[in-house]
Amino acid sequence: MHVVVTGSSRGIGRELKTRLAARGDRVTGTSRDHSSGTRLDVSDPGQQARFAAQIKGDPVDLLICNAGVYLDKTMKINDYTAEVWAKSLAVNVTGVFLTVQALLPNLRLSQSPRIAIISSQMASHARAPGGSYAYRASKAAALNIGRNLATDLQPEGIAVGIYHPGWVRTDMGGEEGEISAQESAEGLIREFDALTPETSGCFHTWDGRVHAF
């Protein structure tokens, strides 16, 4: 199975890449620099086009849209700038869509194509504890993109799942996280393996629970 993982230089992305490769999958990892495989700034259309050209004609069985930023973890309302909003939306929202758009030809070459979008429980409208406005809004938009892609791609047999990876002890999640990157990756991989056209559009947690939208 050929898997593409964006944002694979650290945290959950790196762990997913490592574990998928260890079980025998062929994994193409991307990152904003050259620290983990192919260079790809997911918000850059030019880099997306070059990446798509590099793997043209190569089937992608699983695309994991993991790249993301969390710029406003400790920001107060008055600290927000247009730049914080623009960067958050560019990577967490536009980046997801551009990646799917660029690799659709590769997914269409697969016998069982799947797309996994890493969102967050912070995307849920059922939870509104305040703060992290840009991150919450961007992850909610990623969830929305995934749900609508599931509808549009269903006739082609391309399954789309959206996932909360857990509160993970990474640079993004912080040391107070509830689970390790290893635990998150193991659970997420089980979820990816279980994704089918019949369950397309699901919003699940890393440990298999259905999450409220």
Side-chain angles (χ1 to χ4, degrees), residues 114 163 186-196 202 204-209:
R114 286 164 289 156
Y163 302 94
E186 286 179 5
L188 287 170
I189 290 170
R190 284 194 297 270
E191 287 298 301
F192 302 160
D193 287 343
L195 178 62
T196 66
C202 64
H204 285 179
T205 64
W206 67 278
D207 53 354
R209 290 174 289 123

Side-chain angles (χ1 to χ4, degrees), residues 96-112:
V96 170
F97 188 84
L98 291 180
T99 303
V100 173
Q101 184 184 52
L103 297 189
L104 260 182
N106 305 80
L107 288 158
R108 287 170 172 146
L109 294 174
S110 171
Q111 297 299 309
S112 57

Side-chain angles (χ1 to χ4, degrees), residues 2-175:
H2 182 202
V3 185
V4 172
V5 185
T6 66
S8 66
S9 64
R10 59 190 175 90
I12 299 168
R14 181 172 59 194
E15 196 62 35
L16 285 169
K17 179 183 176 183
T18 298
R19 290 183 176 273
L20 288 164
R23 76 174 191 178
D25 293 331
R26 180 164 63 93
V27 184
T28 300
T30 75
S31 62
R32 281 178 301 207
D33 52 30
H34 289 290
S35 62
S36 180
T38 304
R39 183 183 180 191
L40 177 64
D41 179 343
V42 295
S43 66
D44 185 328
Q47 290 189 29
Q48 289 280 8
R50 286 191 290 274
F51 177 49
Q54 289 172 22
I55 63 171
K56 183 178 180 180
D58 189 358
V60 171
D61 304 294
L62 173 61
L63 169 60
I64 304 174
C65 296
N66 167 75
V69 295
Y70 188 177
L71 305 178
D72 57 330
K73 188 183 301 185
T74 60
M75 281 187 181
K76 305 300 183 185
I77 291 177
N78 289 340
D79 296 332
Y80 280 82
T81 63
E83 183 180 2
V84 169
W85 278 100
K87 182 67 178 293
S88 299
L89 296 172
V91 176
N92 296 352
V93 184
T94 306
V96 170
F97 188 84
L98 291 180
T99 303
V100 173
Q101 184 184 52
L103 297 189
L104 260 182
N106 305 80
L107 288 158
R108 287 170 172 146
L109 294 174
S110 171
Q111 297 299 309
S112 57
R114 286 164 289 156
I115 299 169
I117 296 173
I118 305 301
S119 180
S120 169
Q121 67 179 3
M122 294 170 75
S124 174
H125 296 304
R127 302 177 74 259
S132 298
Y133 295 99
Y135 185 76
R136 291 183 193 279
S138 65
K139 288 300 185 178
L143 169 59
N144 186 276
I145 287 172
R147 293 277 292 169
N148 284 283
L149 282 172
T151 298
D152 285 339
L153 298 178
Q154 190 170 40
E156 299 187 59
I158 301 176
V160 183
I162 307 99
Y163 302 94
H164 165 53
W167 184 11
V168 186
R169 291 187 293 275
T170 61
D171 291 342
M172 185 180 290
E175 297 179 357

